[in-house]
Amino acid sequence: MSKKEPKLKFNAAWELAPAPEDTKHISIKKQYDLFINGEFVKPNSKKYFATYNPATEEKIAEVADADERDVDKAVKAARVAFNSWSKLSGAERGKYIYRIARLMQERAREFAVIETMDGGKPIRESRDIDVPLAANHFFYYAGWADKLEYAFPNRNPKPLGVAGQIIPWNFPLLMAAWKIAPALAAGNTVVLKPAETTPLTALKLAELIRDSGLPKGVVNIITGAGKTGAAIVNHPDINKIAFTGSTDVGKLIQKSIAGSNKKLTLELGGKAANIIFEDAPLDQAVEGIINGIFFNQGHVCCAGSRLFIQESVADVVIRKLKDRMETLRVGDPMDKNTDVGAINSKEQLMKISEYIKIGKNEGAEMYQSSCSIPKKGYFCKPTLFLNTSQSHRIVQEEIFGPVLAIQTFRTIEEVIEKANNIPYGLSAGVWTDKGSKIFNLTTKLRAGVVWANTYNKFDPTSPFGGYKESGFGREGGLHGLAAYLEL
Ligand code: ADP
């Protein structure tokens, strides 16, 4: 740990550090190199690309563009490190992982501010959700490192080797934690690539890992776009690929590793059904719908982007929903009162705008909150569509933005049929006063995660992952650990 880092005595790092919206104390370099074998090294091509603040359109920093030779260097470093890391006792590995978790808590504000600057999400979310959850993942998996034999009795757990990990831009730090923490606890080494629009918190994590004293080469973090990701996927000395991102790229990856010995987990798109029954606590349900679709600007693979309301309460729920949408504050992500921040990139804003057009052309009725949005930066008003039907593209396809498609239903059979009639199967939500209905639905909804009377709740102990085109394999909990072990 560098001498400049403040030492905090308790976990609530917020209370001692400067205000999150205060960016003076945040150190961001002008240019970032690749983190390979414990140090920052220049990319082979000498090329760098810019990362922007989507709320201001200003350039924040330049990051290295890794090519195949850089990937090869990172994989070689990880392979050498694997020899000793995998032989270290679980207790020793656990100590290193605990140290990463603690350092993350100490630097929590810095991570939160950078996450918000680079990705556009409200500071309140990065501060209260992303960063604490990321640290919790390291704490949780640190605890398993010396208990693998107990976790998987008589199954002789062994690490897989070098894991290539490719992550998206919606939860950059949290996804890095989901991937790195179980891999290390199981005794693997890692080459991780963050998304090209949000590389900065992963690079901050690289600095933290360097300061933590983790043995060189155990974690390598390299930056670049799709080509760099493909070079990781295709490297012959990688034993496991863990990918979170779009279904299209997931399919490509699956094809390109077919026939190899590489193990694969894919966490892909989603189009979750959030289902409200007439007996539900309606105000609470409306909060859940709002959170389900507008949290993180709807850039959430498990977002509740399809809403099903039982017909008898449809009018009242829609009225309450519109009223609540009016109170959402859209704008500066660095303002701690902001509810909906910036769309992650211009490309994503264009994609969302295109879907809004498609929805109107398909004949659905659009409603947007009357808020104003900043002139500069990439912003989208919270939007909902009424009178949609199963065949509409805005119902079938993942938009990954603050756009909700609403349908009504009469019977439980009808809503199960509609909820499942979709290529995806990642998550779903059920709102009802009746426990029996919850149990009935959770067994019939083809979704990896089903929330009841809540939504978007994450915890390191519970497995997360999908069915169908949402991918396969689970992250989180013991399932997430098993994905990094030969059993
Ligand atoms: P999105 O459409 O949400 O941007 P992507 O699936 O394109 O999601 O991106 C998720 C991650 O996958 C990013 O880190 C991106 O750079 C990476 N990626 C993109 N194309 C490929 C590819 N062909 N092979 C491996 N990784 C890729």
Side-chain angles (χ1 to χ4, degrees):
M1 190 165 83
S2 78
K3 286 205 182 92
K4 277 186 222 134
E5 289 301 321
K7 272 201 174 159
L8 303 181
K9 293 204 180 58
F10 52 90
N11 291 347
W14 305 116
E15 284 157 38
L16 294 186
E21 56 278 28
D22 174 0
T23 51
K24 277 203 302 275
H25 301 267
I26 305 304
S27 96
I28 301 178
K29 290 192 284 194
K30 281 210 168 96
Q31 197 177 67
Y32 285 89
D33 290 321
L34 306 168
F35 185 65
I36 299 178
N37 206 26
E39 54 188 20
F40 284 92
V41 296
K42 301 251 168 263
N44 173 55
S45 67
K46 311 272 186 303
K47 284 192 192 135
Y48 292 80
F49 61 94
T51 180
Y52 295 89
N53 180 335
T56 61
E57 300 176 44
E58 281 160 14
K59 179 165 135 182
I60 311 175
E62 286 189 342
V63 300
D65 193 2
D67 66 13
E68 281 175 13
R69 285 171 80 178
D70 300 306
V71 169
D72 186 51
K73 208 160 145 188
V75 174
K76 285 203 168 102
R79 176 61 58 195
V80 171
F82 178 69
N83 291 331
S84 38
W85 179 250
S86 58
K87 292 193 188 87
L88 215 58
S89 74
E92 282 301 311
R93 284 203 310 275
K95 277 189 209 164
Y96 283 110
I97 306 170
Y98 276 124
R99 198 174 300 154
I100 293 172
R102 279 192 223 104
L103 282 173
M104 192 174 280
Q105 285 186 319
E106 288 183 11
R107 301 180 190 184
R109 274 180 193 277
E110 199 173 7
F111 275 108
V113 169
I114 295 174
E115 196 73 307
T116 284
M117 284 174 76
D118 204 20
K121 67 175 68 202
I123 186 71
R124 216 180 45 216
E125 292 177 9
S126 4
R127 187 192 65 185
D128 297 347
I129 299 169
D130 294 57
V131 181
L133 256 182
N136 281 349
H137 264 83
F138 282 103
F139 276 116
Y140 173 74
Y141 281 111
W144 279 121
D146 63 347
K147 301 174 194 72
L148 300 180
E149 301 288 343
Y150 299 94
F152 307 102
N154 304 320
R155 294 181 69 193
N156 195 20
K158 292 261 180 312
L160 300 173
V162 177
Q165 308 182 319
I166 299 165
I167 59 172
W169 45 258
N170 56 345
F171 293 93
L173 181 70
L174 184 59
M175 289 302 108
W178 277 30
K179 299 263 182 294
I180 295 174
L184 298 194
N188 303 276
T189 55
V190 161
V191 176
L192 174 125
K193 188 193 87 63
E196 50 273 38
T197 59
T198 53
L200 294 183
T201 43
L203 290 162
K204 262 284 150 209
L205 178 61
E207 290 178 357
L208 180 157
I209 285 172
R210 180 197 56 195
D211 298 348
S212 77
L214 186 77
K216 286 178 180 192
V218 171
V219 172
N220 304 274
I221 296 182
I222 60 174
T223 43
K227 259 174 91 177
T228 314
I232 296 177
V233 169
N234 295 324
H235 195 288
D237 201 29
I238 291 253
N239 304 97
K240 147 105 190 180
I241 294 290
F243 173 80
T244 300
S246 61
T247 295
D248 288 347
V249 174
K251 285 180 182 170
L252 267 178
I253 291 178
Q254 202 173 1
K255 262 191 222 151
S256 54
I257 70 162
S260 77
N261 264 336
K262 290 171 193 162
K263 290 217 159 36
L264 178 64
T265 41
L266 294 176
E267 204 266 90
L268 309 175
K271 191 80 187 177
N274 209 354
I275 303 168
I276 300 201
F277 288 95
E278 59 192 2
D279 57 30
L282 293 187
D283 288 328
Q284 197 184 322
V286 166
E287 281 308 304
I289 301 164
I290 293 279
N291 167 274
I293 185 62
F294 301 127
F295 169 57
N296 199 25
Q297 297 73 246
H299 301 331
V300 185
C301 41
C302 54
S305 49
R306 289 184 297 154
L307 175 64
F308 290 95
I309 316 175
Q310 198 156 25
E311 220 170 68
S312 52
V313 289
D315 288 346
V316 50
V317 169
I318 290 164
R319 182 174 46 75
K320 281 175 186 278
L321 199 52
K322 286 180 175 174
D323 287 349
R324 182 68 178 89
M325 275 169 73
E326 282 299 314
T327 68
L328 292 175
R329 293 179 61 150
V330 184
D332 180 7
M334 213 58 88
D335 180 339
K336 60 182 183 295
N337 295 313
T338 291
D339 299 301
V340 181
I343 300 301
N344 185 262
S345 64
K346 194 174 178 184
E347 290 69 39
Q348 189 58 25
L349 181 59
M350 279 161 56
K351 181 180 158 192
I352 297 167
S353 309
E354 185 58 31
Y355 270 111
I356 291 179
K357 245 190 250 157
I358 291 170
K360 287 196 263 186
N361 290 341
E362 283 176 327
E365 182 193 326
M366 186 187 75
Y367 173 82
Q368 284 186 320
S369 88
S370 64
C371 65
S372 62
I373 53 175
K375 291 214 168 53
K376 206 148 193 219
Y378 314 128
F379 291 90
C380 176
K381 290 185 179 187
T383 303
L384 58 81
F385 278 101
L386 299 165
N387 302 327
T388 66
S389 72
Q390 280 297 106
S391 61
H392 283 167
R393 282 184 64 192
I394 54 164
V395 170
Q396 289 290 325
E397 297 172 21
E398 186 181 44
I399 301 174
F400 226 60
V403 182
L404 177 66
I406 303 182
Q407 290 177 265
T408 57
F409 68 94
R410 283 189 184 161
T411 66
I412 195 162
E413 292 75 25
E414 178 193 353
V415 77
I416 290 170
E417 158 84 35
K418 282 182 170 166
N420 287 338
N421 182 7
I422 192 104
Y424 297 109
L426 188 56
S427 59
V430 181
W431 298 83
T432 168
D433 209 21
K434 301 270 181 298
S436 56
K437 236 183 234 165
I438 292 172
F439 286 121
N440 183 9
L441 277 158
T442 45
T443 54
K444 294 192 177 123
L445 290 172
R446 295 290 292 162
V449 182
V450 184
W451 284 291
N453 295 330
T454 186
Y455 206 89
N456 275 338
K457 281 275 183 299
F458 306 99
D459 189 281
T461 61
S462 57
F464 184 90
Y467 290 104
K468 302 194 279 189
E469 290 199 14
S470 294
F472 48 78
R474 296 289 179 266
E475 294 188 301
L478 278 183
H479 295 70
L481 195 58
Y484 285 94
L485 288 166
E486 192 81 60
L487 293 169

